[in-house]
Amino acid sequence: MNPAFRVLSARALALALLLSVGASSSLAFQSMDDVRAAATARGLTTADLLAAAKTFTPSGMLDEYVMFSSGGHSGQVFAIGMPSMRLLKTIAVFTPEPWQGWGYGVGEEVMAGGDYGGEPVRWGDTHHPALSETAGDYDGQWLFINDKINARVGVIDLRDFEAKQIVKNPLTVSDHGGTFVTPNTEYVIEGGQYATPWGSAYAPLSEYKESYHGSVTLWKFDRRAGRIDRSKSFAMELPPYWQDLSDAGKGASDGWFFLNSINTEMATGGIESGNPPFEAGVSRNATDYLHIIDWKGAERVFQAGKADMIEGFPVISIKTAVAEGLIYLTPEPRSPHGVDVAPKGDFVVVSGKLDPHVTVYSTAKLKKAVAAKTFSGRDDWGIPILDFDAVVEAQVEVGLGPLHTQFGPEGYAYTSLFLDSAVARWTMGGSYGAGTPEPDWTLVHKTPVQYNVGHIGVAEGDTVSPDGKYLVAFNKWSVDRFLPPGPLLPQNFQLIDIANQGTSMPVIYDMPIGMGEPHYAQICKADKLNPWKVYPEVGWDPLHQRADLMAPKPGMERVTRNDEEGSVEVFMTAVRSHFKPEHVAVKVGDTITWRITNIERAVDATHGFAIPQYNINLSLEPGETATVEFTAHTAGTFPFYCSEFCSALHLEMVGYLLVEPTE
Ligand code: RUQ
Ligand code: CUA
């Protein structure tokens, strides 16, 4: 017998037994001996069986949470059930995705919203998803995601888990400190990253200080329209300090947001010319600057018409921001990365990658220092620097390479430690202090993770009332955790059970992510989400979320040809297991408008529609209508078919597009 097995507790066995009975009620009764034998054969310990009991989700059981994870450079977002850690959907945003037909007739209009510089940009580097909030709590309606490489923001409607809008930032070409939302989703905030001249125009690096700019953009979100309203959006100019992560104030700090920065040195690199490389130049100073910004004040200043137009976009200059008292700086420790606002908004936690402490600022002290003008100086742009000692509440030594902090319900905070490959649990003080058995502001425990953890996410972790319960470590490396699929290894999402206080914080599940390099994720209680099971009406246009009057309906299927214009209109329906019409005959050079409706009302009765060579590939969910326009550029015979195995006669769900050559 495996020695580890002998320590199996009666409780774990009982749990395992319960599970096995529940999971296979159709099988003959299974005894404890069966569980024991199976566990022994696989070398499982008590802890393993307990972890299984906490995560194993039998067929048909639904998850308690949905995690919306960045898809990294896949340009997409992943929806993952928790605690099962089952991938539910890849939500296509910046990158074409064939299963959803995204980018092959549908989604192109949305993606075109993010094009700039003349060439279509068909991928993204997604970093930080943000769920819409009402009164500081996730409301389950909208999801926003930034694209770091191109400075774009995507808007996803959680009624159908589809992207509806991509906006391109006109001022900058890279972003990072976004997306995050203000407590009622008034704004979706996108902080820049690498400074460039406005609009990413040319200027030599020797003119860095004069010509390069930092910025943060406040995109106004119109909930009714479900779109960012560019006409009510504005930005703020910032020094070219390479602003990094950011968070919105709430509760005690409502009306403010916080951005940190990593290059107050304004290093410009140039290792090839004997200059310090960026990695050294950017880390020279002992401190960088936390930016403290009054967004409600900035909104008033913008609405009063005090913004300048730059690249056709309103920008509040640093000069105006300083004169209006909208912006302050305060020192933050070496190579800052994460800045995270505590649930009540009373503390702001900053991690410096090269400092083993997290630094906790008090928002009450920040406000006091602003009011009393407790400045230790001004930077080169005249921005007041709040005195560090006047605003810091605590510094907690947590370990090497602290990056990001999340909060639990009982007064614990959690910080990812990149260099230690661990997640630290530490106690908050102030009004949180009473919730934990340990003294305020102390490290309680570290759980090792595998490996190189970036962000962490706690269930409902960015809200005014985190659930705790689960924490996910988003690890960059997996090294030896999975069978190696060649030299490019999956990343590892590790689920950590944080339900107990003190030093019990075990890893209970590993989920390989075989796509992109995810950064952050937000975790929403599943019952807050209320997605449609089928589209509300037959003939629904998901882009505009309304019935399309032109949508083909049963009885009106036809192909009409206008000889003079050389144009053809197709009105087609799809239902198990045929398209109607099945023959579409056109001539080379015809312009074709092809409308197609899936007239099914049954849940999950999705049809695909794909035409070879013409690069057309749709997914039509029940009720959905879509329109594709193309020119019949090539003569030939093109069997189009349904790409979803929708019925026993799915193979017969086919038709012919006949493109007749012209002499
Ligand atoms: S950032 S860990 Cu966007 Cu920390 Cu990736
Ligand atoms: Cu419809 Cu296969």
Side-chain angles (χ1 to χ4, degrees), residues 6 16 122 139 195 214 247 290-291 317 448 489 556 569 573 611 636 644:
R6 286 194 206 104
R122 288 295 173 268
D139 55 35
D247 202 1
L290 176 66
H291 299 44
S317 68
L489 303 187
M556 60 176 280
E569 273 195 290
T573 56
I611 308 179
E644 290 275 336

Side-chain angles (χ1 to χ4, degrees), residues 262-313:
I262 57 174
N263 188 13
T264 50
E265 296 86 347
M266 292 181 280
T268 53
I271 189 173
E272 67 288 352
S273 317
N275 297 326
F278 276 117
E279 60 176 326
V282 167
S283 312
R284 230 170 27 230
N285 292 350
T287 54
D288 288 291
Y289 290 131
L290 176 66
H291 299 44
I292 301 143
I293 293 173
D294 171 4
W295 69 261
K296 286 196 176 158
E299 181 184 52
R300 280 193 295 274
V301 166
F302 161 59
Q303 287 169 352
K306 295 184 193 168
D308 304 322
M309 290 305 276
I310 297 174
E311 302 291 321
F313 200 75

Side-chain angles (χ1 to χ4, degrees), residues 15 85 102 161 308 457 523 529 601 621 646:
L15 268 169
M85 306 300 275
W102 189 250
F161 283 45
D308 304 322
I523 301 164
L529 299 164
R601 300 312 284 152
E621 286 94 72
C646 53

Side-chain angles (χ1 to χ4, degrees), residues 179-215:
T179 52
F180 61 100
V181 299
T182 54
N184 284 301
T185 322
E186 296 92 340
Y187 291 96
V188 181
I189 299 179
E190 181 195 19
Q193 177 118 80
Y194 305 118
T196 62
W198 291 128
S200 199
Y202 171 77
L205 280 157
S206 56
E207 293 167 17
Y208 185 83
K209 209 176 151 187
E210 315 80 72
S211 303
Y212 286 55
H213 306 278
S215 65

Side-chain angles (χ1 to χ4, degrees), residues 574-579 600 606-608 641-647 649-651 653:
V575 71
R576 276 162 291 171
S577 302
H578 60 267
F579 295 109
E600 301 268 3
T606 294
H607 297 289
Y641 65 82
C642 167
S643 50
E644 290 275 336
F645 207 111
C646 53
S647 70
L649 297 174
H650 148 83
L651 285 181
M653 192 161 175

